[in-house]
Amino acid sequence: MLKRNDARADKSNFVGKTVPRENARRLSQGRGRYVDDIAFRNLAHVAFVRSPHAHARILSIDTQAARAVPGVIDVITGQDIRSMCQPWVGVLGHFPGLKSAEQYPLAVDVARWHGEPVAVVLAESRALAEDGADLIEVEWEALPSVVDPETALESDAHVIHPELGDNLAFRLDLEKGEVDAAFASAAHIAEGTFHFGRHTGLTLEPRSIVADFDPALRQLTVHHSTQTPFQMQDVFARHFGLEEGSVRVIAPDVGGSFGLKLHVYGEEMAACALSIRHGRPVKFIADRLEAFQTDIHARDHRVKARMAVSAEGEILAMEVDDLTGIGPFSVYPRTSAVEGNQAIRLMGGPYRMPSYRGRLQVVFQNKTPMCQYRAVGHPVACAVTEGLVDQAAHALGIDPLEMRRRNVVTQDMYPHTSPTGYVFERLSHEECHARLAEMMNYERLRREQAEARERGVYRGIGFATFIEITNPGPAFYGVGGARISAQDGCVMKMEPSGDIRVMVSVTEQGQGTETIMAQIAATHLGVPLERVRVYTGDTQTSPYGGATWASRGAGIGGVAVMKTAEALKENLLTVAATILQAQPGELDISAGAVVSRASGEERMPLSELGRIAYFRPDTLPAGFHAELTAARHYVPQGYPFAFTNGVQASHLEVDIETGQVRLLDHWVVEDCGRIINPLLVDEQIRGGVVQGLGGALFEECLYSPEGQLLCGTMADYLTPMAAEMPDIHVGHVETPTETSPLGAKGVGEAGTAAAPAAVMNAINDALSPFGASVSRMPFTPERVLRALGKV
Amino acid sequence: MDSVFPITLTLNGRTVTHDAPQRMTLADFLRQTVGLTATHIGCEHGVCGACTVYVDGRIARGCLMFAIQAEGCDIRTLEGLADDERMQALQKHFHARNALQCGFCTSGMLLTAHQYLGSQEEPSREEAREYLSGNYCRCTGYQAIVEATLAASDELAAKAGCKDEEAGRAEA
Amino acid sequence: MKAAPFDYVRVSCFEEMQEIFAAHGDDAQVIAGGQSLIPAMAMRMARPSVLLDIAGLPGLSGIEDTGDAIRIGAMARYVDLRESALLATHVPLIRDAVALIAHEAIRSRGTIGGNLAHADPASEMPAVVQALDARIDIRGPEGQRSVPAAEFFLGTYAVDLAPGEIIVSVTVPKAPAGRLSGIQEFVRRSGDYASAGGAFVLDVENGRIAAARLACFGVCDRAVLAEQAAATLVGQELAALDPEPAVKALASEIEPTADLHNGPATKRHLIGVLTKRLLADMVSRSGKAHG
């Protein structure tokens, strides 16, 4: 009997199991439904006129010829839109001193980056809207542009927003411990300047929106490729003067997001404004050139840093100066201070380093706005720290992996607070390092490297230990005044068939949110997985919540689902006990049936419970009401974040004559706490690593010295493709977080966080016989050749 | 306003006629005029591969052809391969191996993998990576796609082997 | 990103095409495979008012043996070139080049004529036809003419085609016995336009190089023949070939132009490395073939 009970329980436990995504079956048959796939009647389309200059005053806009194009419905300029939409300013209270300027969907008077929209044409088709946009004449007065962040703060730099006084958006200084003393007593000081090129998220589905305003109800329905339907509902309501409840945001299938699809963009706001004005659905699908010009860019950091180490290789202190250019505005509503803030706070994070001094300067410049993209700040902090660790190890003659082993925060130290104020509940650096060395067969690889070098083949091995911020609490945005929910909610109902329907506020963009939530619900309710369906992404039908960003979906949304499942189970057992004239405590639910808790014997299938509860409540005692729906919300408490950790290694070969880097293998060992679905976790890591490899080797938004964006196609902006990517070997250590009953932390950004650092260290390892090194990403063949003195 | 012209072509095995503007690309035509949305548009300049379709039996970019050029052509999209054994094997393994996340590249990736398996008796990991390198995927990192393609190939080869064996037995 | 409006005309004879050119001049644009033209139209960098589809013109397709040469119709697609037994036998360099061009979904539509008329400086084919000493066969309002490939490319996207003229075919001499050919390129990613590339032909007689044609692409404003570098190879014994004089000559005779990712100095360096590697590869393959 006991055995049978176990078997049943096992059939109902889906947490920790590899389960393919039901969504993937649908999408693999071409049955996805992205914004652009949805059919509308009376649909109108927009096209934008954009600034050809990095910085210029708009003297006049002549829209007459455009209005005369048959099929053109309306033309709106920046001046016009001021009366249609409340402006915004991308600042938050918890970044004291952060400043930015007022922004409208279209530039008013002055355009401040190449590609900024200045007018919009509404027409019966996108082609006709573009025909109209072609005919709009803008008279410009070019203004001096600020392009290089290094010059933005110089006294003679043109001030982009005169009312703000200077081009400094934000400054932060951190200091802890005895930094000067540490450097004075150091046996060795590692030092370097690291550049992180501008790149961008490049979702394959471009930003997409259809705004559909019903003037009779004053109801705005927005079909939007977004990560954050609730945040956007709030933004649309406030900026268009609508009741919150009169705005419905629906995120259908989303073709990639990576942090790119949670910011407020002028084009989407203009589409809404025009829908409200004309009372018909308005579509904006960014084309690829528009995407390069207006999707948020990321990184663009210059970091000068040094690290003091003792003769034994102990890291004593770091001193860091990070300068980052964010474009002409801090992006609304999350601000562009977050990446720099995280970059300087994550420095040295894995290590016991007692002293730290960090300075951050965030400056305005005339380039596309920069904001949060996958692994916000992490790749910067990781590459600077790990680059200096390697330099120090090399100088002291210590093996780089051993150098890391000597410095990581160890098991006896938790909970541990970093000198920048981050608190770690429990990480697993030592275990991860041990596992990595074993997986990659480190010693053999070193021997092979030496042999290859004899043959004139230059291979490198690079490591990067990392920590990742996941499961952010209210401290992330809410305390600063942003109306971005820190909690998530779940509503769960049992249908008459016994099937379970789950509505949850976290969203799906392909990472597997819906599958993971189904696994959790099925497990905690005791039903077969195929009996659970999960619905996300509609503000009208989902409970309110923060949605999916900052690696919070599984760790926060998952707990909301777990708690709801427990609550619904309790409800169902109460109903079952009433029907069966038993005590709820004597019963359980397993494999979709009510069973005897003691024997596991099946008492009634849930479908029978559903039949009675919904259709024959007359058979139940008077006064009894079956509760067949439950709702719960969850917000993480105790720690501001749940940090994850891990280590990556890159093995590559540098062609020292061409500068070309060939990736041979990549390893990741990471600890995201309780793993809910190993398949999905591994694929999140692989995808994340490849985005990191893109930043390390290929991706760069190139500008002319005057601020012209030079890469407007995917042939110019190089991304990782299948042929150049290595196999990525993934291993795990599981340290469940005790801050949540589920024990799960996030995993969405770990891959991206450390891959660039690992590649940089591997290239520099390969180049070490030549005394050459690189520290400017991406590491193009030309930059490698320059480091080698060949060009 | 754009004038429209009738375009007659074979689409997924059936001869159809639809009206479309001269400047409409084949990809837009399939999606907007016909309503077949498995074909996606990711760049409109022929680089990303999301709009890959079969044109007269070979994969091509749906955005690098005007619909009007497809007059008389044989066009096949993912929808038209629903009953194709090779495609079904690929779809099954893409699903099982989680070789897609957001799914936006998937149709194009599947068509490219489909032609690859059709043109190569013994696919290899390296060659599959090369063949698929004209299709951009931002989510997966490609490894799962390569592995799913090879797994589908193995399954098809095993099935073909069984059929050969059966045929051999029948002859004997 | 939608093309500006145009009238699409599928012409069925040259006279019809000439009439359209006479009426519209430069506003009429020929479309072949469209793999470079359509993106340019999508971005409205090209905006013809009339788009002339020449797929129906007679005599533009097919690959045929004309005795001492192979005539390749301008509308032959890359996949046709790759799969042609005639070319495999008589001009294997073309098949080797196709493997480097873009990706399969482009090779299925892109044509040799369209490629040559477009004249992207980093594209393979303009170098290949120069290395092979091919002739570009042109037809226009004034009738037919034929230009040596080395004289056809005038600059970036600029070729010797007058208004109303189109390429009808490319005539490639059959490779003589003892010919070695090879193509290599450095690319950031597979299928990308080359950061530097070379298509080389060496004619070997009695173990010595009797003639050499070295065409470079992705280095200058157009695909170019490096004649001085080639001259350093002539007379050398193949088995003991010294590439250094060629590399040196090449560095001084070419004027590299930057692309988005590589400056002129990098290009000059890369083409030198490539020259050494490609020559070594050709010599080694010849050794294997004879061994």
Side-chain angles (χ1 to χ4, degrees):
Chain A
M1 257 337 192
L2 197 64
K3 217 171 179 182
R4 189 183 155 199
N5 205 0
D6 284 351
R8 272 199 95 103
D10 191 54
K11 261 194 218 160
S12 294
N13 182 16
F14 304 99
V15 169
K17 302 265 169 65
T18 277
V19 176
R21 293 158 53 219
E22 200 51 36
N23 274 338
R25 189 194 305 279
R26 185 171 60 80
L27 297 173
S28 74
Q29 295 181 13
R31 297 282 163 186
R33 193 164 174 268
Y34 305 88
V35 169
D36 195 37
D37 298 341
I38 308 170
F40 295 87
R41 292 186 184 280
N42 200 30
L43 181 64
H45 303 257
V46 290
F48 291 85
V49 178
R50 301 181 178 282
S51 172
H53 301 282
H55 198 193
R57 191 177 310 284
I58 302 164
L59 299 178
S60 67
I61 303 181
D62 184 350
T63 63
Q64 210 174 353
R67 289 178 190 281
V69 172
V72 167
I73 302 160
D74 199 0
V75 182
I76 295 293
T77 67
Q79 289 296 348
D80 303 325
I81 212 153
R82 294 174 68 177
S83 61
M84 299 162 69
C85 175
Q86 289 295 314
W88 59 85
V89 183
V91 297
L92 286 172
H94 61 325
F95 294 116
L98 171 63
K99 62 196 186 197
S100 188
E102 205 171 69
Q103 226 182 326
Y104 284 93
L106 304 171
V108 181
D109 297 330
V110 176
R112 296 179 179 83
W113 81 86
H114 175 207
E116 184 175 10
V118 299
V120 55
V121 177
L122 183 72
E124 299 295 343
S125 74
R126 168 76 189 210
L128 291 167
E130 288 188 25
D131 292 350
D134 263 1
L135 295 174
I136 290 178
E137 298 264 345
V138 184
E139 200 183 342
W140 297 100
E141 179 197 338
L143 298 171
S145 53
V146 179
V147 180
D148 182 354
E150 298 276 5
T151 64
L153 298 178
E154 285 173 1
S155 57
D156 59 347
H158 189 90
V159 177
I160 295 174
H161 302 289
E163 70 274 24
L164 299 181
D166 57 27
N167 292 324
L168 182 66
F170 182 62
R171 182 184 165 126
L172 179 63
D173 290 280
L174 302 173
E175 174 125 16
K176 177 85 178 176
E178 305 294 328
V179 179
D180 294 328
F183 278 96
S185 70
H188 178 75
I189 295 172
E191 203 161 355
T193 300
F194 302 82
H195 288 90
F196 299 84
R198 263 189 175 243
H199 46 268
T200 184
L202 192 51
T203 57
L204 190 51
E205 180 208 27
R207 282 166 31 227
S208 304
I209 193 168
V210 175
D212 188 1
F213 184 69
D214 178 344
L217 298 171
R218 284 194 63 71
Q219 161 89 33
L220 178 67
T221 303
V222 182
H223 306 263
H224 192 186
S225 180
T226 179
Q227 296 168 247
T228 52
F230 300 98
Q231 174 201 303
M232 294 313 299
Q233 176 192 34
D234 172 70
V235 166
F236 295 141
R238 282 189 293 113
H239 290 272
F240 294 110
L242 300 168
E243 296 287 333
E244 186 178 83
S246 297
V247 177
R248 177 184 185 185
V249 178
I250 303 167
D253 286 322
V254 173
S257 51
F258 318 120
L260 190 152
K261 291 178 179 170
L262 45 65
H263 309 291
V264 170
Y265 293 96
E267 289 84 356
E268 281 86 328
M269 297 298 275
C272 291
L274 282 164
S275 179
I276 292 169
R277 182 174 162 109
H278 290 274
R280 60 189 286 192
V282 172
K283 180 187 275 194
F284 169 69
I285 310 288
D287 69 27
R288 193 48 67 188
L289 175 58
E290 290 179 299
F292 281 116
Q293 288 178 327
T294 63
D295 288 357
I296 54 107
H297 289 178
R299 321 302 183 224
D300 200 355
H301 290 249
R302 182 278 287 142
V303 184
K304 291 181 183 164
R306 55 191 198 132
M307 178 182 277
V309 288
S310 73
E312 294 73 38
E314 187 190 354
I315 301 171
L316 306 172
M318 275 179 80
E319 188 175 16
V320 165
D321 176 3
D322 182 5
L323 175 71
T324 177
I326 57 164
F329 296 97
S330 168
V331 175
Y332 184 70
R334 294 175 182 239
T335 85
S336 304
V338 176
E339 168 142 306
N341 180 57
Q342 289 190 180
I344 67 161
R345 287 182 192 275
L346 286 162
M347 297 279 176
Y351 304 115
R352 290 193 301 271
M353 171 181 83
S355 301
Y356 178 75
R357 178 181 295 142
R359 182 170 78 151
L360 168 69
Q361 290 182 99
V362 177
V363 301
F364 295 120
Q365 64 191 152
N366 294 111
K367 289 184 179 178
T368 297
M370 192 283 283
C371 203
Q372 284 81 293
Y373 154 67
R374 197 175 198 172
V376 186
H378 292 69
V380 176
C382 185
V384 170
T385 304
E386 297 300 297
L388 294 177
V389 166
D390 261 25
Q391 272 188 34
H394 190 76
L396 297 171
I398 302 172
D399 175 87
L401 197 53
E402 172 58 23
M403 176 82 180
R404 288 169 171 83
R405 284 193 195 113
R406 287 185 196 178
N407 280 287
V408 289
V409 178
T410 49
Q411 282 307 312
D412 53 330
M413 296 171 71
Y414 294 108
H416 177 76
T417 304
S418 81
T420 63
Y422 283 145
V423 188
F424 309 125
E425 176 202 11
R426 179 162 298 281
L427 303 178
S428 57
H429 292 301
E430 306 113 294
E431 249 189 288
C432 287
H433 284 152
R435 178 102 180 77
L436 178 80
E438 179 192 307
M439 269 173 69
M440 66 191 288
N441 206 337
Y442 180 46
E443 284 168 21
R444 193 185 72 197
L445 216 54
R446 281 285 182 214
R447 282 197 302 275
E448 287 174 4
Q449 178 189 32
E451 288 161 18
R453 220 170 257 183
E454 297 291 316
R455 292 180 278 121
V457 172
Y458 295 91
R459 293 195 179 141
I461 301 164
F463 297 100
T465 307
F466 66 89
I467 54 173
E468 185 205 340
I469 294 172
T470 80
N471 295 3
F476 214 44
Y477 289 114
V479 298
R483 293 173 62 84
I484 298 168
S485 173
Q487 65 78 50
D488 277 280
C490 174
V491 173
M492 202 176 292
K493 64 175 176 178
M494 190 194 79
E495 302 196 320
S497 58
D499 286 358
I500 304 300
R501 297 289 177 260
V502 180
M503 279 69 69
V504 63
S505 56
V506 287
T507 50
E508 167 83 54
Q509 297 91 34
Q511 61 278 76
T513 304
E514 293 182 2
T515 301
I516 283 171
M517 298 306 146
Q519 288 176 264
I520 295 167
T523 301
H524 289 276
L525 268 170
V527 300
L529 189 60
E530 61 273 15
R531 305 286 294 274
V532 180
R533 286 211 185 149
V534 179
Y535 300 88
T536 63
D538 183 344
T539 58
Q540 192 153 296
T541 57
S542 312
Y544 201 94
T548 301
W549 41 271
S551 299
R552 67 189 295 289
I556 300 177
V559 182
V561 170
M562 176 184 170
K563 287 164 131 3
T564 314
E566 288 169 351
L568 181 60
K569 182 175 181 178
E570 203 179 313
N571 292 353
L572 297 178
L573 289 177
T574 304
V575 181
T578 306
I579 295 169
L580 296 169
Q581 298 179 332
Q583 293 299 314
E586 298 165 13
L587 301 172
D588 199 358
I589 300 175
S590 182
V594 176
V595 299
S596 158
R597 185 177 290 276
S599 68
E601 191 186 346
E602 180 172 322
R603 302 290 301 275
M604 96 191 325
L606 286 178
S607 57
E608 177 61 7
L609 188 155
R611 186 188 68 82
I612 295 170
Y614 282 107
F615 308 125
R616 294 302 308 277
D618 58 305
T619 64
L620 299 177
F624 178 80
H625 294 277
E627 295 295 342
L628 302 161
T629 299
R632 288 292 184 273
H633 291 258
Y634 175 74
V635 65
Q637 289 170 338
Y639 289 85
F641 313 106
F643 277 91
T644 70
N645 70 282
V647 60
Q648 297 193 21
S650 168
H651 184 217
L652 52 74
E653 189 172 305
V654 180
D655 183 332
I656 54 150
E657 286 185 305
T658 65
Q660 190 91 24
V661 173
R662 189 159 70 94
L663 302 170
L664 300 172
D665 267 305
H666 198 99
W667 295 268
V668 182
V669 178
E670 71 81 59
D671 182 348
C672 62
R674 174 86 66 232
I675 292 174
I676 299 164
N677 187 327
L679 176 70
L680 303 189
V681 163
D682 285 4
E683 291 311 312
Q684 276 298 299
I685 290 172
R686 290 199 175 96
V689 163
V690 166
Q691 283 190 16
L693 297 176
L697 294 175
F698 298 109
E699 299 182 37
E700 190 167 24
C701 298
L702 295 165
Y703 281 85
S704 75
E706 297 75 34
Q708 294 283 318
L709 180 65
L710 300 175
C711 50
T713 74
M714 288 175 70
D716 303 326
Y717 182 88
L718 308 183
T719 49
M721 301 300 278
E724 290 75 31
M725 288 300 108
D727 281 343
I728 297 160
H729 315 279
V730 183
H732 301 282
V733 171
E734 266 187 270
T735 310
T737 172
E738 288 173 15
T739 60
S740 98
L742 187 60
K745 304 191 252 188
V747 72
E749 301 168 275
T752 312
V759 166
M760 178 179 73
N761 285 343
I763 293 174
N764 290 336
D765 184 39
L767 297 182
S768 61
F770 306 96
S773 71
V774 289
S775 60
R776 181 185 285 270
M777 293 185 200
F779 306 116
T780 64
E782 184 167 74
R783 285 173 181 160
V784 172
L785 287 173
R786 274 196 203 129
L788 285 163
K790 303 217 168 181
V791 297
Chain B
M1 302 288 273
D2 281 23
S3 308
V4 293
F5 295 80
I7 298 165
T8 301
L9 69 165
T10 305
L11 179 55
N12 295 332
R14 294 181 51 223
T15 303
V16 295
T17 302
H18 290 278
D19 290 338
Q22 293 175 315
R23 58 168 150 171
M24 182 178 257
T25 63
L26 177 62
D28 277 341
F29 173 81
L30 292 169
R31 292 176 49 77
Q32 296 171 19
T33 307
V34 185
L36 293 177
T37 56
T39 304
H40 296 146
I41 295 178
C43 75
E44 298 181 275
H45 47 251
V47 184
C48 79
C51 65
T52 304
V53 293
Y54 272 110
V55 178
D56 294 335
R58 291 187 191 266
I59 54 166
R61 304 287 202 225
C63 73
L64 292 191
M65 210 177 150
F66 293 111
I68 203 160
Q69 292 178 281
E71 172 79 29
C73 287
D74 179 11
I75 306 292
R76 200 167 277 273
T77 68
L78 184 64
E79 288 97 337
L81 290 162
D83 297 326
D84 177 273
E85 188 188 12
R86 198 187 325 145
M87 185 55 83
Q88 286 174 345
L90 281 163
Q91 286 168 324
K92 175 180 144 189
H93 288 282
F94 268 56
H95 175 238
R97 181 63 187 79
N98 205 47
L100 59 140
Q101 291 182 27
C102 83
F104 205 77
C105 73
T106 308
S107 301
M109 202 63 90
L110 281 167
L111 262 76
T112 307
H114 186 260
Q115 176 165 297
Y116 173 56
L117 294 190
S119 66
Q120 188 49 267
E121 300 248 313
E122 284 179 29
S124 71
R125 202 176 179 87
E126 199 177 333
E127 200 185 58
R129 278 193 178 275
E130 171 65 32
Y131 206 97
L132 295 166
S133 71
N135 290 66
Y136 169 99
C137 168
R138 190 59 154 173
C139 300
T140 64
Y142 302 105
Q143 186 173 336
I145 294 173
V146 171
E147 286 169 359
T149 301
L150 297 176
S153 169
D154 288 346
E155 183 187 307
L156 290 163
K159 269 191 195 166
C162 289
K163 274 183 201 156
D164 289 350
E165 245 173 64
E166 277 168 30
R169 272 200 300 273
E171 274 165 34
Chain C
M1 195 183 281
K2 307 294 177 195
F6 57 82
D7 284 323
Y8 172 87
V9 185
R10 191 182 282 205
V11 291
S12 52
C13 64
F14 280 96
E15 291 67 30
E16 195 183 347
M17 185 179 84
Q18 296 310 342
E19 280 167 28
I20 291 169
F21 274 125
H24 296 276
D26 278 353
D27 288 342
Q29 165 78 48
V30 167
I31 183 164
Q35 304 299 286
S36 299
L37 177 61
I38 294 181
M41 289 176 69
M43 286 180 263
R44 299 194 176 206
M45 295 188 302
R47 38 196 323 161
S49 61
V50 177
L51 193 64
L52 272 172
D53 189 336
I54 56 169
L57 281 186
L60 297 194
S61 60
I63 298 168
E64 57 195 40
D65 192 333
T66 63
D68 54 359
I70 306 292
R71 183 188 167 280
I72 304 170
M75 289 295 280
R77 301 177 193 279
Y78 297 126
V79 287
D80 302 329
L81 304 181
R82 181 180 62 203
E83 290 162 14
S84 159
L86 268 180
L87 288 175
T89 307
H90 296 292
V91 202
L93 181 61
I94 291 185
R95 182 200 53 201
D96 297 343
V98 171
L100 301 179
I101 297 173
H103 304 281
E104 194 60 23
I106 302 290
R107 293 176 206 139
S108 66
R109 300 284 307 161
T111 64
I112 187 167
N115 175 283
L116 298 179
H118 182 60
D120 190 296
S123 178
E124 293 83 359
M125 256 337 143
V128 168
V129 292
Q130 293 187 65
L132 292 171
D133 200 14
R135 296 184 76 83
I136 314 295
D137 308 317
I138 296 163
R139 182 161 171 180
E142 310 297 319
Q144 288 208 338
R145 67 189 177 101
S146 174
V147 182
E151 294 166 22
F152 181 72
F153 302 97
L154 306 178
T156 303
Y157 309 127
V159 294
D160 178 15
L161 277 180
E165 283 190 325
I166 63 163
I167 300 175
V168 290
S169 58
V170 182
T171 301
V172 191
K174 286 184 185 172
R179 169 166 290 187
L180 301 174
S181 65
I183 181 165
Q184 255 187 35
E185 60 185 26
F186 296 139
V187 287
R188 297 285 297 278
R189 307 171 308 172
S190 173
D192 279 354
Y193 279 117
S195 307
F200 294 178
V201 167
L202 303 178
D203 288 323
V204 183
E205 285 170 18
N206 303 322
R208 283 189 188 278
I209 297 171
R213 293 178 73 85
L214 311 184
C216 303
F217 55 101
V219 182
C220 303
D221 68 337
R222 72 196 93 160
V224 292
L225 276 181
E227 290 175 358
Q228 292 167 25
T232 67
L233 299 175
V234 175
Q236 285 203 51
E237 194 185 331
L238 185 72
L241 188 143
D242 176 12
E244 288 303 334
V247 171
K248 211 176 234 179
L250 193 57
S252 68
E253 76 178 299
I254 56 165
E255 282 278 343
T257 44
D259 63 26
L260 201 49
H261 305 286
N262 301 282
T266 301
K267 297 254 185 196
R268 183 170 274 123
H269 170 80
L270 288 177
I271 194 65
V273 174
L274 183 134
T275 299
K276 267 189 274 190
R277 287 188 183 180
L278 179 51
L279 288 173
D281 178 59
M282 289 165 75
V283 171
S284 119
R285 275 191 289 125
S286 96
K288 274 179 203 146
H290 296 291

